[in-house]
Amino acid sequence: MKAFRHLLSLSLVALLTLLLTAGTNVTTVFVIGDSTAAEKSHPDTNPERGWGMVLQGFFDKNVRVENHAVNGRSSKSFIDEGRWQKVLDRIKPGDYVLIQFGHNDEKSNPKRHTDPGTTFDANLTRYVNETRAKGGIPVLLSCVVRRNFLRTVNDSIEDESLRNTKYEDEKINSDTLIDTHGAYKDVPRYLAKRLNVPFVDANRLTHDLEQGMGIEGSRKLHMWFRPGEIKSIPKGRHDNTHYNVYGAHLVAGLIADALAKEVPQLGKHVVHYDYIVSRQGRGNFMSLQQAVDAIPAGKKVKVYVLDGTWERPTWNKKEKKIKFVFYPGATLK
């Protein structure tokens, strides 16, 4: 009896230890950057997404994405506002920090402006060095492209103001995407080589994506909507910077695959699913039933559920073979 009690005690200790240590092997991928990667409010009615917002859908249960990117921030203002310190305080050894700025560093506003070759480089270097000091792994990314087929770039356009634009036909005079970032897109590459940091050329990835889709096709990536097309945007929108649900998912998938090549240890956890469900707008479907309904008959698919407690969906099991993959915390009732 005494031996049994001792064995039971050891078992309870082992179980308690397991529970206390559960999740400690989860790697966190932090994202810092601007509106092209940022979280967006009211995802149930607002179709705008940042690629960092949907990045979790491209990693398995062993990776947790924390997206700290914020609309309108530059490498300077992200530090000055104390946002970087909050991320830095959370980094543990083995975590990753994806660093992507440039869109707002270009702006003349002194609260955001930096110069490539001096202050922009210095800020990115600071992110790298301070991440390493905490035992984290920094990854530099170049800024994603703006969708621009106009040879004369209007430098006065403020990216954040694009949310207030109405739909209108665009002015184009080129069938080739025209760069708007200049040296800001090149600095991360040079620094990555000099500092021995993994580098993802998000500028090249998105350039090739947009150019490949063409002038009209590339509109489908962005917040381009005609009047009445989206209930919450009755006048439509003409926005060549910010992504919609479809565009953010394509870009996040490209970045995840590029990360897999540059950081093989992280690449082991990259996944791809056509149907990703999240009540928080981190998937390409907001409801489980909606995702199931969208699956064509005759298909055998996996549906990745990132969050929420869901009613069991209904479907013709003879027509659709569906397996659900649940990220920790997501469940069926």
Side-chain angles (χ1 to χ4, degrees), residues 19-36:
L19 291 172
L20 289 173
T21 58
T24 56
N25 62 336
V26 173
T27 299
T28 301
V29 173
F30 296 93
V31 180
I32 63 173
D34 54 44
S35 60
T36 58

Side-chain angles (χ1 to χ4, degrees), residues 130-161:
E130 293 186 354
T131 296
R132 283 174 163 166
K134 291 294 296 288
I137 300 109
V139 181
L140 286 169
L141 289 78
S142 54
C143 46
V144 297
V145 298
R146 292 186 184 91
R147 180 185 168 277
N148 175 59
F149 290 93
L150 189 65
R151 287 193 182 89
T152 303
V153 178
N154 185 350
D155 294 327
S156 67
I157 293 177
E158 172 61 55
D159 288 325
E160 295 306 301
S161 71

Side-chain angles (χ1 to χ4, degrees), residues 23-86:
T24 56
N25 62 336
V26 173
T27 299
T28 301
V29 173
F30 296 93
V31 180
I32 63 173
D34 54 44
S35 60
T36 58
E39 299 291 293
K40 310 297 176 178
S41 60
H42 308 296
D44 53 334
T45 57
N46 175 20
E48 184 179 332
R49 300 288 188 272
W51 65 259
M53 183 176 178
V54 301
L55 187 62
Q56 183 66 73
F58 295 90
F59 286 103
D60 65 20
K61 64 181 182 180
N62 297 299
V63 171
R64 178 179 62 248
V65 174
E66 278 197 24
N67 184 23
H68 292 261
V70 181
N71 293 354
R73 271 54 185 187
S74 70
S75 68
K76 179 182 187 299
S77 62
F78 198 85
I79 293 171
D80 292 346
E81 294 174 2
R83 298 179 185 278
W84 170 235
Q85 187 61 50
K86 290 179 180 179

Side-chain angles (χ1 to χ4, degrees), residues 276-332:
I276 307 171
V277 179
S278 167
R279 278 206 177 96
Q280 300 173 6
R282 304 184 189 286
N284 50 1
F285 292 92
M286 293 289 293
S287 89
L288 190 52
Q289 187 65 58
Q290 181 188 43
V292 167
D293 292 344
I295 298 170
K299 282 283 188 177
K300 183 177 181 180
V301 301
K302 293 180 180 179
V303 176
Y304 195 19
V305 186
L306 295 181
D307 52 57
T309 300
W310 303 89
E311 297 283 351
R312 191 172 295 274
T314 59
W315 75 95
N316 187 329
K317 294 178 175 58
K318 292 182 179 179
E319 291 184 353
K320 303 177 183 180
K321 305 297 181 182
I322 303 173
K323 179 180 179 180
F324 298 103
V325 179
F326 292 92
Y327 190 79
T331 59
L332 282 177

